[in-house]
Amino acid sequence: MSEEHIYEDPDILSELEDYQHVNYFQHNPLSNAKKTYDELKNVTLNIAITGESGVGKSTFVNAIRGLRDEDDGAAETGVTETTMKASRYNHPTMPNVYIWDLPGIGTPNFKAKKYLKEVHFDSYDFFIIIGSLRFKENDVMLAKEIKKTNKTFYFVRSKIDQDVHNETSKRKLTEEQVLSKIRQSCEENLKSLGNPKVFLISTFELGKYDFNDMVDSLANNLSEHKRSALIRSFPVCSLRMIEKKSLELKIAALPTALAACTPGAIPIPGVLLTCEFLIVQGFLHQSLSSFGLDKKSLKRLSERVNKPEVELRSMMKSRFAEGVNEDVVGGMMNKPGMNLAKCIESVLTHVPLLNVVAMPISFSTTLYLLLVGITEMTEDAKAFYGTVIQDVRTCNKSD
């Protein structure tokens, strides 16, 4: 998409009008937006991964952080119990998102009835209980204890790719038959809990089975800010995930634009906008990281698929191929000009919940530019998914 076209894109202007559906700006849009920006920026999310020893907890921790087991900073994995205490892993790009790799339940050191006390259960937003082959008595006991604390738990059946491969090759079953058989087995093992939903997942192909459904379920039980952190932190594994990320980022763009355009914002020399430059740059950089298009992510991807970084960057058609630097952001702020800003302001004045008549024109333009950036990144992410994801799957299977 050409630069001239994207600045005239009617879909982006339409999205500005759709902000009237964002209900948390209803009563006092300006102050609420600033508060929302601070909450989005500072919200913490603590995800606890638990289950019996050897079911693949650490590998799952790595997968939802976008890492392989051998990557720097990955959780230690092995055929024996490697997690002897609760280990916290920071997310590579979301500093306030923490993934906790808990010790294996049912080992001599961690009996189910004392387990929650030992791992400080009140520290976590929710628990993911992982099982392979089948869920056992310890898993059920743990779920019942979690339920008593009013915390939320989810069951994940791991290593589905291995089961599908083994059953389809040995018993000549279809993939659908294998998945149905596994679900029935899980339901039988967990019937004392009222048949909770079980998500079938392959850590090597997150987007293939129930991962997206699991994300939906997790998000539906979180506050708006924690939901946003969750979706923005999980790796790009499907077109559906890309769309989720795009929507969350566009919602977050409004309070970000308002926070950047406070009355005390300093004019930027040579730029038509008055806004906090670092807020805009920081938001765009985090957005790029959320889509897995930042420099660190591309470096890991380059090593994974054995392709030069320059080749991967050539697939990006947006202005962000070399990252979010001052020149790129400054150029975005200069290009639209005052005429565009006035056009956008006229659109926003008809949005009842925003009431931007008295707001500086820089807010209108800043919001528009953030949406432009997200739109470009979304298209890059889709292009990447279509061209590179098969290489990633091939490498994962060969490993």
Side-chain angles (χ1 to χ4, degrees):
M1 183 179 294
S2 69
E3 192 167 283
E4 291 76 10
H5 175 73
I6 202 163
Y7 283 119
E8 298 173 357
D9 192 340
D11 291 336
I12 295 180
L13 291 175
S14 176
E15 286 177 0
L16 295 178
E17 294 175 308
D18 286 342
Y19 272 107
Q20 60 184 301
H21 302 300
V22 183
N23 57 23
Y24 47 66
F25 297 112
Q26 185 169 5
H27 300 296
N28 190 344
L30 182 58
S31 62
N32 281 5
K34 291 177 182 176
K35 179 182 178 182
T36 299
Y37 170 78
D38 290 334
E39 291 173 345
L40 284 169
K41 182 179 178 182
N42 299 315
V43 66
T44 59
L45 182 66
N46 289 279
I47 305 172
I49 311 300
T50 185
E52 287 203 330
S53 174
V55 296
K57 299 188 305 296
S58 298
T59 296
F60 184 81
V61 167
N62 294 333
I64 62 176
R65 295 165 67 222
L67 301 177
R68 293 186 300 176
D69 292 344
E70 63 270 24
D71 288 341
D72 291 339
E76 184 180 356
T77 60
V79 295
T80 60
E81 176 58 33
T82 57
T83 306
M84 301 309 296
K85 63 179 181 179
S87 300
R88 189 186 80 174
Y89 293 92
N90 293 4
H91 190 274
T93 60
M94 296 283 289
N96 295 334
V97 174
Y98 306 109
I99 318 296
W100 292 83
D101 190 2
L102 304 188
I105 187 174
T107 60
N109 292 327
F110 297 97
K111 297 298 184 181
K113 289 186 177 180
K114 296 182 179 179
Y115 184 84
L116 289 181
K117 183 178 180 180
E118 295 288 338
V119 300
H120 306 290
F121 75 92
D122 55 337
S123 302
Y124 315 114
D125 289 290
F126 58 85
F127 292 79
I128 294 178
I129 304 172
I130 298 183
S132 64
L133 296 180
R134 66 186 180 89
F135 291 101
K136 301 179 181 179
E137 181 182 357
N138 282 323
D139 300 310
V140 175
M141 290 176 62
L142 177 58
K144 289 180 177 179
E145 292 300 314
I146 294 173
K147 195 172 184 178
K148 291 178 183 178
T149 69
N150 293 321
K151 292 280 185 175
T152 308
F153 61 87
Y154 304 86
F155 283 104
V156 164
R157 173 62 162 76
S158 66
K159 305 179 182 180
I160 292 300
D161 53 320
Q162 297 179 19
D163 296 320
V164 169
H165 173 74
N166 292 337
E167 293 295 308
T168 54
S169 60
K170 293 179 181 179
R171 301 190 183 186
K172 306 302 181 183
L173 298 175
T174 66
E175 180 173 288
E176 291 74 15
Q177 289 173 325
V178 175
L179 297 178
S180 177
K181 181 180 177 182
I182 293 173
R183 291 187 195 280
Q184 290 176 5
S185 175
C186 291
E187 290 172 1
E188 178 65 25
N189 293 334
L190 300 174
K191 62 182 179 181
S192 64
L193 293 169
N195 296 321
K197 172 74 174 178
V198 177
F199 300 99
L200 311 184
I201 288 177
S202 164
T203 54
F204 297 109
E205 296 184 79
L206 281 181
K208 186 172 181 180
Y209 299 105
D210 291 345
F211 184 76
N212 285 296
D213 291 338
M214 184 194 75
V215 174
D216 287 342
S217 185
L218 298 179
N220 289 337
N221 289 297
L222 292 172
S223 67
E224 290 175 344
H225 308 313
K226 288 182 182 289
R227 179 203 68 212
S228 179
L230 176 87
I231 293 175
R232 291 160 68 179
S233 69
F234 276 3
V236 170
C237 58
S238 65
L239 293 175
R240 184 172 160 189
M241 179 60 72
I242 293 172
E243 292 294 346
K244 287 178 184 295
K245 287 176 177 287
S246 184
L247 176 61
E248 289 297 331
L249 289 166
K250 287 173 180 176
I251 291 174
L254 191 147
T256 301
L258 276 171
C261 297
T262 57
I266 302 173
I268 302 171
V271 174
L272 294 173
L273 300 181
T274 300
C275 71
E276 294 290 347
F277 185 88
L278 292 180
I279 290 179
V280 174
Q281 185 175 4
F283 178 83
L284 289 173
H285 176 73
Q286 192 175 75
S287 299
L288 196 69
S289 298
S290 180
F291 285 117
L293 300 173
D294 59 299
K295 291 182 179 180
K296 288 184 179 180
S297 297
L298 290 182
K299 185 175 185 298
R300 285 196 298 267
L301 182 60
S302 171
E303 295 169 351
R304 190 172 301 182
V305 300
N306 196 28
K307 287 185 178 180
E309 285 184 60
V310 64
E311 183 177 341
L312 296 180
R313 292 185 187 282
S314 68
M315 300 179 189
M316 298 176 64
K317 305 305 180 184
S318 74
R319 72 193 75 225
F320 304 107
E322 297 299 325
V324 181
N325 55 47
E326 292 184 7
D327 291 339
V328 169
V329 179
M332 290 181 71
M333 291 178 168
N334 248 328
K335 287 289 183 182
M338 297 300 287
N339 289 335
L340 174 62
K342 291 177 180 177
C343 172
I344 298 167
E345 185 183 36
S346 68
V347 171
L348 291 176
T349 54
H350 293 91
V351 179
L353 301 186
L354 292 182
N355 188 24
V356 298
V357 175
M359 292 182 185
I361 203 167
S362 56
F363 160 73
S364 308
T365 310
T366 302
L367 175 57
Y368 182 75
L369 293 181
L370 292 179
L371 293 177
V372 166
I374 295 167
T375 299
E376 291 188 12
M377 293 175 193
T378 300
E379 294 306 310
D380 276 345
K382 289 179 178 179
F384 253 75
Y385 178 80
T387 57
V388 180
I389 196 65
Q390 293 301 329
D391 292 334
V392 174
R393 287 176 175 171
T394 300
C395 292
N396 284 340
K397 289 179 179 179
S398 65
D399 291 342

